[in-house]
Amino acid sequence: MPGFWSTIGARTLKYAAWGDGFDAVRLDANGAGFTAWYARAGRCVGVLTHERDADYEGGRELIAAGEPPP
């Protein structure tokens, strides 16, 4: 699936998604990191992270499997 990483100063954003759009987004944030989970029709279609590598890898798996966001 398409994705990218971008480092800006000391911050790295990681994004993976299918380009078909989304109808819901949920932001999980605490401390220095965050994860934005994008969904369409209840299925995870994208993930954007900062300082949350486990969410990024898990999100890619959810997207590939067509599963809902956690």
Side-chain angles (χ1 to χ4, degrees):
M1 87 199 49
F4 71 88
W5 295 13
S6 181
T7 300
I8 303 166
R11 305 199 186 279
T12 299
L13 298 174
K14 295 180 179 182
Y15 178 74
W18 293 116
D20 297 335
F22 60 93
D23 58 23
V25 63
R26 187 183 84 237
L27 180 64
D28 294 336
N30 64 7
F34 69 83
T35 301
W37 298 100
Y38 298 91
R40 183 174 181 189
R43 295 173 40 182
C44 188
V45 294
V47 62
L48 171 69
T49 66
H50 170 61
E51 298 293 333
R52 298 252 182 107
D53 292 343
D55 283 354
Y56 177 77
E57 295 302 328
R60 290 179 55 84
E61 292 174 11
L62 292 173
I63 295 165
E67 296 290 328

